[in-house]
Amino acid sequence: MSRTSAAVPRAARTIGALALLQLAMPANLALTSLALLLGGRDPQPSPEGERLTILISGGKMTKALTLARAFHRAGHRVVLVEQEKYRWTGHRFSRCVDVFRTVPRPQDPGYAEALLDVVRQESVDVYVPVCSPVASYHDAAAAPLLEAHCRVIHADAETIKTLDDKEALAALAAGLGLSVPDAHRMTSPEQVAAFDFASADPPYVLKSIAYDPVNRLDLTPLPRPTPEATAAFARSKPITAETPWVMQHLVEGVEYCTHSTVVEGRIQVWACCPSSAFQVNYAMVDKPEILAWVRGLVEPLGLTGQISFDVMQTPDGRVLPIECNPRTHSAITMFYDHPDLAEAYLGRREEPVVPTVASRPTYWAYHEAWRLLRAPGSWRERWRTVREGVDAVFDPRDPLPFLMLHHLQIPALLLQNLVAGRDWVKIDFNIGKLVEPAGD
């Protein structure tokens, strides 16, 4: 297909998405207006304790909004930052955000200095990075510069690199006596084709070690029916010595995602949910064996930071880590009503806080609406999700982020892509971005 012919459906899809958002705007505007009139005032910050200035990055993401609300309602001043591309994040309009600032992309050589400027100018006491996959390492690299001026709740750069590397994580966990799946580093398609599947324990899956927003969803089992098909599949992936992949045993069982906020090896915040490839629904489950596995890793290492795991639990009960994401997980949205979330980030608790008994599963309304449009027959499931859950963004006491996310933030990104002629795969209202090939 020629570049010109490919651009036509791409533009049409973008314009179609903009039109759908425009159609939804009157209802959203009415809901927001009603909330502003009847939703009540935002709770006054608690006067107890020291009022700190908290810097939160990743301002486009719902998890950053969740933390901003928690710190604000605990009586702290919140400074929210995001890179220039996402300057129209709807979360900057939250009642719980005192200051919004933009910084360069994490890969920019001036990123750490820009963060330091914000820390100094706003007299920041604590920096809580809400990282994109790309930003995790760069926030860790910036930490030594920032720590002379504020506390940073993030692991060091070498630890981030290890946890982000699926093969290195497996080796680290195995060295601590923890169960892990079989994993092999691959630096070329030929290495995959030559792998001795007969003497191993297939099936396996190929996963990019570096974050890849598109290929991460491909869980094609290996080997393929023929050696030629296996080699062809491997060649379809950008596997090189500079961008290695891991071939990991495809474990049978139930997948869970977890979030841990850890201070010097002690878990302060804990969440565990059933998982899926494109996760936009979160409901807490009690899995003490998964918590024990995570403790078995973070406690001996004395880790500090926000550390999320995707794990499989096999039918015989074993816990096997699929990957680690050393950053905030969107499961933190389940703490939307927890009065002690901010304190848990700042303090030292003997036992972690977990979602309250009264908390409901979180969802994103526009994701549910899109699912309904694509599969009208799923209306009972969609209605059950809405009836039993709570929207992760909408809060009647703080309604503007819900309006501005859907009718400023996402439309602005769609218009940028339309003008630039860039492709996109899907809209992620949770992360507040367009999922793009080779994106962040």
Side-chain angles (χ1 to χ4, degrees):
M1 182 181 291
S2 72
R3 180 176 299 181
T4 301
S5 61
V8 173
R10 182 186 306 162
R13 189 160 58 98
T14 303
I15 293 170
L18 285 165
L20 286 173
L21 289 172
Q22 186 69 16
L23 285 173
M25 185 174 180
N28 196 329
L29 187 58
L31 177 65
T32 304
S33 300
L34 187 63
L36 288 170
L37 288 172
L38 304 177
R41 294 181 178 273
D42 189 51
Q44 290 298 311
S46 170
E48 298 179 6
E50 182 184 7
R51 186 172 193 250
L52 303 175
T53 294
I54 312 296
L55 175 62
I56 300 174
S57 64
K60 68 180 181 295
M61 297 184 270
T62 309
K63 47 195 170 184
L65 177 65
T66 299
L67 290 176
R69 286 169 169 168
F71 281 112
H72 169 79
R73 290 168 184 168
H76 303 295
R77 177 173 176 263
V78 175
V79 179
L80 188 68
V81 297
E82 184 51 273
Q83 59 177 289
E84 182 69 17
K85 177 180 178 180
Y86 301 105
R87 64 190 180 279
W88 294 118
T89 170
H91 304 155
R92 67 184 292 175
F93 301 98
S94 169
R95 289 173 169 173
C96 301
V97 172
D98 296 279
V99 176
F100 176 76
R101 299 281 297 273
T102 59
V103 293
R105 296 188 314 146
Q107 307 94 314
D108 191 291
Y111 177 69
E113 286 290 344
L115 285 176
L116 180 60
D117 286 344
V118 176
V119 167
R120 285 172 167 168
Q121 292 167 17
E122 301 297 339
S123 299
V124 169
D125 298 292
V126 181
Y127 176 36
V128 182
V130 178
C131 307
S132 67
V134 170
S136 292
Y137 176 80
H138 297 286
D139 276 311
L145 185 65
L146 305 180
E147 284 171 339
H149 304 272
C150 69
R151 179 182 172 195
V152 180
I153 303 178
H154 200 51
D156 64 82
E158 285 304 311
T159 298
I160 293 291
K161 287 174 66 176
T162 299
L163 296 177
D164 244 340
D165 184 320
K166 298 170 185 65
E167 186 200 32
L169 168 66
L172 173 65
L176 294 171
L178 299 171
S179 53
V180 297
D182 188 33
H184 303 269
R185 182 179 295 262
M186 297 291 162
T187 57
S188 71
E190 292 73 25
Q191 194 176 357
V192 178
F195 185 77
D196 185 6
F197 289 99
S199 63
D201 184 23
Y204 288 84
V205 290
L206 272 174
K207 296 182 177 181
S208 173
I209 291 177
Y211 178 73
D212 187 321
V214 176
N215 280 304
R216 65 185 290 269
L217 302 177
D218 186 351
L219 299 179
T220 300
L222 295 177
R224 304 309 298 144
T226 66
E228 293 77 14
T230 299
F233 179 78
R235 287 194 301 270
S236 73
K237 303 300 180 184
I239 307 172
T240 67
E242 292 73 30
T243 57
W245 284 45
V246 66
M247 193 165 69
Q248 188 180 75
H249 184 227
L250 181 60
V251 182
E252 292 186 2
V254 180
E255 185 174 354
Y256 297 93
C257 58
T258 75
H259 169 92
S260 311
T261 302
V262 188
V263 176
E264 297 178 3
R266 191 179 299 276
I267 297 177
Q268 304 292 294
V269 179
W270 171 252
C272 181
C273 307
S275 188
S276 64
F278 182 51
Q279 187 76 15
V280 287
N281 300 92
Y282 296 97
M284 182 70 179
V285 293
D286 183 26
K287 285 289 176 179
E289 59 275 26
I290 298 177
L291 175 57
W293 191 97
V294 175
R295 277 183 166 148
L297 184 87
V298 302
E299 286 184 357
L301 298 176
L303 294 181
T304 291
Q306 299 173 90
I307 302 166
S308 306
F309 288 92
D310 291 334
V311 303
M312 295 292 293
Q313 188 167 31
T314 62
D316 62 3
R318 288 184 304 148
V319 176
L320 298 172
I322 303 303
E323 65 182 48
C324 176
N325 300 301
R327 48 193 171 269
T328 323
H329 200 288
S330 294
I332 200 72
T333 57
M334 294 189 300
F335 293 82
Y336 65 92
D337 63 344
H338 205 298
D340 299 326
L341 181 60
E343 186 275 335
Y345 267 78
L346 299 174
R348 286 187 58 81
R349 302 175 59 93
E350 291 301 317
E351 292 297 325
V353 299
V354 296
T356 67
V357 174
S359 70
R360 296 154 67 188
T362 50
Y363 66 87
W364 282 258
Y366 279 45
H367 279 308
E368 296 304 317
W370 177 242
R371 286 169 163 173
L372 182 60
L373 284 173
R374 295 189 66 184
S378 69
W379 69 268
R380 289 184 179 85
E381 182 182 356
R382 305 279 71 79
W383 171 239
R384 183 171 60 251
T385 296
V386 172
R387 185 182 69 245
E388 297 176 357
V390 61
D391 187 272
V393 179
F394 183 75
D395 183 336
R397 299 167 298 179
D398 184 30
L400 283 179
F402 186 78
L403 175 68
M404 305 305 266
L405 163 65
H406 301 105
H407 302 293
L408 176 63
Q409 179 175 344
I410 297 301
L413 295 174
L414 287 167
L415 286 170
Q416 288 176 20
N417 276 42
L418 183 63
V419 171
R422 289 195 304 268
D423 197 10
W424 53 276
V425 179
K426 62 190 171 192
I427 300 172
D428 190 334
F429 293 103
N430 169 19
I431 302 300
K433 70 175 187 179
L434 307 181
V435 177
E436 302 170 284
D440 58 356

